[in-house]
Amino acid sequence: MANQKDNIDDFKVQTAKHPNMGSAPLRPHSEQSKDRLSKRLSTESNGTSEGGVGSSTPVEVTALEESFRRFAIHGDTRATGKDMHGKNWSKLCKDCGVIDGKNITLTDVDIVFSKVKKKSCRTITYDEFKVALGELARKKYKERTGEEAEAEVFKLIEGKTPVIAGVTRAVASPTVSRLTDPTKFTGSHKERFDDTGRGKGKAGRVDMVDTSGYVSGYKHRGTYEKKVNK
């Protein structure tokens, strides 16, 4: 009890020295760590360093590097956009038209990827990415110089984003179409639909008594009423 009383007295003294202390509650240490981590990731993504030289001047991201980042994080929620694995590298070359099926094939793309990446890594960095594009450019545009070929390949990729495949459509099956086509129904099921395939409702489910006075199937039904009305 004595220790608790001393703690209360100390708190009152601190409050008297710092009147605004109670207006800002202390945050748990885990939340403070999360804030520091998110701030660090934000500064890294903007190309700045907290407290360092030039921290107020973010590094400009080129259109080519922006496309690299978009393809690098495609389909992977844990990706940071700083490196790219082989699957997304192949997708980039396919979506951006680098692969033409003649000078550049999917096999060429895989060979270049294995050539530029480090032996112990399964991904490539942005610098290695540009080296790989240079390899493909010289093979794709053989009649041009190295710089001109690289510039043409860069244009194919700049500003591009991954192509999202469309929704898969259901394939029409002969079995399903037969079960859903009223014109192919037989027996009592056929009586439930008219010639256009529209359901008759209650008339197709219940035997309705015909009180018209005509024989069933008579072709000139209703002609007598027309003569009488005239």
Side-chain angles (χ1 to χ4, degrees):
M1 293 296 291
N3 293 334
Q4 184 177 4
K5 185 176 181 181
D6 294 338
N7 292 335
I8 294 174
D9 294 338
D10 292 340
F11 178 77
K12 290 180 178 180
V13 172
Q14 294 293 333
T15 305
K17 292 181 179 179
H18 306 283
N20 296 328
M21 181 177 178
S23 60
L26 296 176
R27 302 177 63 188
H29 180 70
S30 59
E31 293 186 6
Q32 296 177 5
S33 300
K34 290 180 180 179
D35 291 343
R36 286 195 296 268
L37 178 61
S38 61
K39 187 175 182 180
R40 180 177 63 82
L41 292 176
S42 177
T43 55
E44 288 179 357
S45 63
N46 291 330
T48 61
S49 58
E50 184 178 0
V53 178
S55 60
S56 60
T57 306
V59 178
E60 183 179 358
V61 178
T62 62
L64 181 65
E65 185 174 0
E66 182 64 25
S67 296
F68 170 82
R69 292 183 179 182
R70 291 177 180 176
F71 277 93
I73 64 175
H74 177 69
D76 189 357
T77 57
R78 296 176 298 178
T80 60
K82 296 181 179 179
D83 48 17
M84 178 185 296
H85 54 72
K87 182 178 180 181
N88 284 5
W89 158 252
S90 299
K91 180 174 177 59
L92 180 144
C93 294
K94 181 179 179 181
D95 293 352
C96 298
V98 178
I99 298 176
D100 53 16
K102 296 180 181 179
N103 296 329
I104 302 296
T105 62
L106 183 59
T107 303
D108 297 326
V109 170
D110 294 336
I111 292 174
V112 171
F113 181 84
S114 301
K115 182 179 179 180
V116 300
K117 75 178 184 65
K118 296 181 178 64
K119 293 183 179 180
S120 59
C121 297
R122 306 174 71 177
T123 58
I124 58 175
T125 62
Y126 177 65
D127 293 334
E128 294 169 342
F129 168 74
K130 290 193 295 183
V131 174
L133 290 181
E135 293 281 344
L136 296 177
R138 287 186 289 272
K139 188 172 183 180
K140 185 177 179 67
Y141 302 103
K142 298 179 181 179
E143 70 282 358
R144 303 187 182 184
T145 63
E147 294 182 358
E148 292 178 350
E150 289 183 6
E152 290 295 328
V153 172
F154 288 172
K155 289 179 182 179
L156 295 176
I157 301 173
E158 290 175 351
K160 298 294 181 62
T161 58
V163 176
I164 307 299
V167 179
T168 304
R169 296 183 180 180
V171 179
S173 172
T175 304
V176 176
S177 62
R178 179 177 177 82
L179 294 175
T180 56
D181 187 0
T183 60
K184 298 180 180 180
F185 291 171
T186 60
S188 61
H189 300 288
K190 183 178 181 180
E191 300 299 328
R192 300 180 62 177
F193 299 88
D194 58 16
D195 296 336
T196 62
R198 187 174 182 179
K200 296 180 180 179
K202 184 178 180 181
R205 301 191 303 270
V206 181
D207 292 334
M208 306 295 292
V209 179
D210 187 4
T211 59
S212 63
Y214 289 95
V215 179
S216 178
Y218 182 60
K219 296 181 179 180
H220 303 287
R221 177 189 294 267
T223 56
Y224 177 76
E225 286 80 358
K226 292 181 180 179
K227 292 180 181 180
V228 174
N229 292 334
K230 287 181 180 180

